[in-house]
Amino acid sequence: MPRAQLFTSESVSMGHPDKVADQISDAVLDAMLADDPYSRVACETLCCTGLVVVAGEITTKTYVNIPDLVRETIREIGYTSGDMRFDADSAGVLVAINKQSPHIAMGVDRDGAGDQGMMFGYACNETPELMPLPIQLAHRMIEQQAHVRREGTIPGLRPDAKSQVTVEYDHNRPVRVDTLVLSTQHDPMWNERQGDLKKQVIEHILKPVLREWWNPGITVHVNPTGCFEVGGPHGDTGLTGRKIIVDTYGGMGRHGGGAFSGKDPTKVDRSAAYMARYIAKNIVAAGLADRCEVQLSYAIGVAEPTSVLIDCQGTARADEGKISDAVRQLFKLTPRGIIETLKLRNPIYSPTARHGHFGRAPYEGQYYDRVKREHRGGKIEFFGWEKTDKAAELKKLL
């Protein structure tokens, strides 16, 4: 990236219609895994005005009351009033579930990948979380919007929201935040008071998130259309897997062919993308590169990856071929190895469906209490793929 380039990333809130669909799909997955860790789940959700459709291919030994689970998830998100034309109590729920294809199952049963495909992971040293600054700030703005909405700090906010962050880079290093956009759904009370709402958003959402990155010269847009009363699934149809760049690195790193939500860990679309992030993050944490992108690829029914690529984008402090050899030595890259390393048969997925899959610890979501009880001392650590426990070994090998 040459001198004085602007780069932009966006995030969307838990109340965005596509994210509503993602959270429902992952809630179904978690409910299955909670009782049957070997459930095979591929769950898709569509939501629109007054309606949720849950479909997919699921093979499990447990039973889940999906309509009740859907309503619980919608209520947790914050759609609790009929005024929004989509709420937990009145939305209709249709369920169309079949079993997993036996031909796919044959490959998975012998520890092969559940499908072919290529997956990417990315890390960089721009933030303490080793994430690109634009997407990290965009996620935290949305997280803060949810917090002030639930706390009532800004009255009348509703669940749907979007953020966008533009950062100026100088020779690949972030030097200044240039532009911020936050569109937040709201009650009618703000329809004629958008100026007052903007001041509240700057004070309670933007400044607390940006901290040292805040400066008075930032261009700020809050609800640039002038009003955002109609939103959520009433304002736009939501579908699982339609926010894949929000889920990963905001466009800074590449994305493979598949979405994440609603898929159990035998689907390498999800599990191998998590492993690729884990590898990239440990490479950067070891000081072997400032930026690292990892590509893994798989063939259906085959256990070992068909390729492993380490691309440090000109920042490597060791030979990339040797880094790749060390990665193959230290990391288990078969589907079974990934699942065991990252402990992916647990009901951990609902929190990932909001505020990004990477660069964060679990959000206090639907299965937080259960997972918390299973950890020593009642503490929740970062997701397994966010740990840097292999950095010292990588550094030693190289």
Side-chain angles (χ1 to χ4, degrees), residues 64-389:
V64 172
N65 188 319
I66 291 178
D68 284 355
L69 186 64
V70 168
R71 297 184 191 284
E72 183 180 348
T73 303
I74 295 170
R75 184 171 288 107
E76 183 188 355
I77 291 168
Y79 288 113
T80 56
S81 170
D83 292 343
M84 291 182 267
R85 305 289 183 88
F86 180 85
D87 67 276
D89 295 316
S90 66
V93 180
L94 299 179
V95 180
I97 300 294
N98 293 306
K99 288 187 177 182
Q100 183 186 53
S101 161
H103 294 163
I104 294 176
M106 287 170 60
V108 177
D109 289 342
R110 60 173 182 256
D111 295 328
D115 200 355
Q116 71 174 47
M118 72 287 188
M119 299 82 205
F120 291 92
Y122 184 83
C124 62
N125 59 7
E126 294 177 15
T127 64
E129 300 83 4
L130 304 186
M131 287 286 285
L133 181 63
I135 188 64
Q136 194 68 6
L137 291 178
H139 282 324
R140 302 293 75 81
M141 285 164 57
I142 286 299
E143 204 168 52
Q144 182 69 1
Q145 187 269 354
H147 175 71
V148 301
R149 170 175 62 85
R150 288 174 156 171
E151 294 294 315
T153 308
I154 303 177
L157 294 190
R158 289 179 172 178
D160 195 358
K162 298 180 77 171
S163 66
Q164 188 169 286
V165 177
T166 300
V167 172
E168 180 182 341
Y169 283 78
D170 186 352
H171 294 93
N172 293 309
R173 303 304 303 173
V175 295
R176 182 179 66 90
V177 176
D178 182 83
T179 305
L180 300 173
V181 182
L182 186 76
S183 296
T184 176
Q185 188 187 13
H186 55 74
D187 287 349
M189 62 178 288
W190 293 109
N191 285 352
E192 305 300 327
R193 299 171 55 202
Q194 290 292 313
D196 293 337
L197 179 59
K198 181 176 181 178
K199 292 177 183 177
Q200 295 274 342
V201 165
I202 290 173
E203 188 64 28
H204 296 294
I205 298 178
L206 304 188
K207 286 184 176 180
V209 169
L210 266 70
R211 298 182 183 179
E212 69 273 14
W213 287 103
W214 175 262
N215 72 80
I218 294 175
T219 300
V220 176
H221 300 287
V222 175
N223 289 355
T225 62
C227 183
F228 189 6
E229 179 186 347
V230 178
H234 174 55
D236 191 11
T237 298
L239 290 170
T240 299
R242 229 171 31 177
K243 285 292 176 284
I244 58 174
I245 302 305
V246 169
D247 285 344
T248 53
Y249 309 101
M252 188 70 79
R254 286 178 284 189
H255 195 289
F260 299 157
S261 289
K263 296 177 180 178
D264 75 83
T266 67
K267 279 75 172 175
V268 285
D269 279 340
R270 183 171 213 162
S271 55
Y274 289 170
M275 177 55 83
R277 161 65 177 172
Y278 180 49
I279 294 168
K281 189 171 184 181
N282 275 272
I283 289 171
V284 174
L288 300 175
D290 294 334
R291 298 186 305 280
C292 180
E293 184 177 76
V294 175
Q295 186 199 49
L296 304 175
S297 66
Y298 292 83
I300 187 168
V302 179
E304 291 291 340
T306 57
S307 68
V308 178
L309 174 67
I310 308 296
D311 180 6
C312 297
Q313 302 176 350
T315 69
R317 297 183 180 89
D319 180 80
E320 288 174 328
K322 293 181 179 179
I323 296 175
S324 182
D325 291 341
V327 164
R328 283 187 175 271
Q329 181 176 335
L330 285 180
F331 295 89
K332 298 176 181 178
L333 300 181
T334 66
R336 172 182 279 189
I338 293 171
I339 290 169
E340 291 175 351
T341 299
L342 302 181
K343 298 178 172 59
L344 298 181
R345 292 202 186 277
N346 296 304
I348 59 173
Y349 297 101
S350 290
T352 68
R354 57 179 75 170
H355 309 146
H357 292 244
F358 306 121
R360 52 178 287 261
Y363 184 82
E364 293 191 19
Q366 192 167 1
Y367 289 93
Y368 176 82
D369 290 336
R370 173 172 179 163
V371 176
K372 184 177 179 180
R373 286 195 298 270
E374 293 174 355
H375 282 69
R376 292 182 179 180
K379 294 181 180 179
I380 288 292
E381 301 176 351
F382 272 67
F383 293 116
W385 53 89
E386 288 299 313
K387 295 180 180 180
T388 55
D389 53 345

